[in-house]
């Protein structure tokens, strides 16, 4: 996703070339782990690496796919499926609703920049 942010509010996560298409990568910012996903269309998505169902930091190891045209990632733990754009769990596997936190991503000079805002 591309969002207009002042470059001074963004933090460099990695070079775009550090990412592989449809393979997640984890990045650590303070105590917060973020999962980064490069999609085949060239967009990059940043979501919490913390699986809200298992409590494990594993979302970067999830399976990338689509559901109804939306880019998704399925947790490697219990296969809940999350929309990478919104963080909403679109397939809860019978569990209560949950979400992944999502961060805006900007591409600049070959780098992946994330608007971290206030980390929780």
């Amino acid at each position: 996703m591309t969002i207009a942010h002042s470059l001074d509010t963004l933090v460099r996560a990695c070079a775009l070339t550090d990412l592989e298409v449809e393979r997640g990568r984890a990045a650590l910012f303070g105590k917060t782990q973020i999962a980064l996903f490069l999609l085949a269309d060239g967009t990059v998505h940043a979501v919490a690496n913390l699986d809200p169902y298992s409590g494990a930091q594993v979302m970067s190891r999830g399976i990338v796919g689509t559901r109804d045209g939306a880019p998704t990632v399925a947790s490697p733990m219990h296969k809940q499926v999350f929309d990478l754009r919104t963080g909403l769990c679109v397939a809860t596997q019978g569990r209560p609703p949950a979400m992944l936190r999502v961060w805006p991503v900007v591409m600049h000079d070959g780098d992946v920049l994330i608007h971290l805002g206030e980390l929780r």
Side-chain angles (χ1 to χ4, degrees), residues 77-92:
M77 298 296 286
H78 302 294
K79 308 305 183 244
Q80 283 86 7
V81 178
F82 297 86
D83 185 322
L84 285 170
R85 301 167 308 173
T86 65
L88 179 66
C89 186
V90 296
T92 64

Side-chain angles (χ1 to χ4, degrees), residues 80-120:
Q80 283 86 7
V81 178
F82 297 86
D83 185 322
L84 285 170
R85 301 167 308 173
T86 65
L88 179 66
C89 186
V90 296
T92 64
Q93 307 300 339
R95 307 281 300 273
M99 291 186 74
L100 297 174
R101 182 162 180 202
V102 175
W103 286 269
V105 174
V106 175
M107 308 304 293
H108 181 71
D109 288 339
D111 287 330
V112 177
L113 307 175
I114 300 175
H115 178 68
L116 292 179
E118 185 176 325
L119 293 175
R120 299 185 230 158

Side-chain angles (χ1 to χ4, degrees), residues 33-102:
Q33 291 187 34
I34 295 177
L36 300 168
F37 296 94
L38 171 62
L39 303 183
D41 66 3
T43 60
V44 177
H45 295 272
V47 299
N49 199 36
L50 180 67
D51 178 345
Y53 292 102
S54 70
Q57 300 278 0
V58 295
M59 294 309 298
S60 64
R61 302 287 185 215
I63 301 165
V64 174
T66 59
R67 183 158 298 195
D68 297 325
T72 60
V73 62
S75 169
M77 298 296 286
H78 302 294
K79 308 305 183 244
Q80 283 86 7
V81 178
F82 297 86
D83 185 322
L84 285 170
R85 301 167 308 173
T86 65
L88 179 66
C89 186
V90 296
T92 64
Q93 307 300 339
R95 307 281 300 273
M99 291 186 74
L100 297 174
R101 182 162 180 202
V102 175

